[in-house]
Amino acid sequence: AATPDPDEPVVARVPDVAGLSGSVMPAHKGAIVRIEQRFHGRWVPAGETRTDRRGRYHAGVSAKGLYRVRYRGDVGPGVRVG
């Protein structure tokens, strides 16, 4: 078997435990919606997704917790997952 290269990054996919869905306005196809998770009293980046032409989005999350979305500087309410 080949020896792994220590300089090569290891990528692992963790299954989603749930998802966040909603819509943002103004609607622009392909706009970025950022996902944040509450961690030790702070909101930290947890991923991002893109909108469809109606401003709808869906993002899977891989851990239980409190999440919110950020769009164009505005933030949504915290949503508990799990």
Side-chain angles (χ1 to χ4, degrees):
T3 304
D5 181 351
D7 294 325
E8 186 71 25
V10 176
V11 178
R13 176 77 174 112
V14 177
D16 295 334
V17 297
L20 301 174
S21 296
S23 61
V24 294
M25 293 180 71
H28 298 288
K29 182 178 180 180
I32 295 174
V33 175
R34 289 177 170 48
I35 312 302
E36 299 177 335
Q37 183 180 19
R38 190 79 170 171
F39 185 74
H40 293 293
R42 298 179 57 195
W43 291 103
V44 297
E48 61 183 40
T49 189
R50 295 191 177 265
T51 60
D52 67 11
R53 65 183 177 85
R54 294 187 176 154
R56 296 178 299 197
Y57 65 86
H58 176 81
V61 295
S62 58
K64 296 176 182 178
L66 188 62
Y67 292 86
R68 72 179 184 184
V69 298
R70 179 179 293 274
Y71 178 67
R72 300 179 70 178
D74 293 325
V75 293
V79 176
R80 177 130 341 252
V81 172

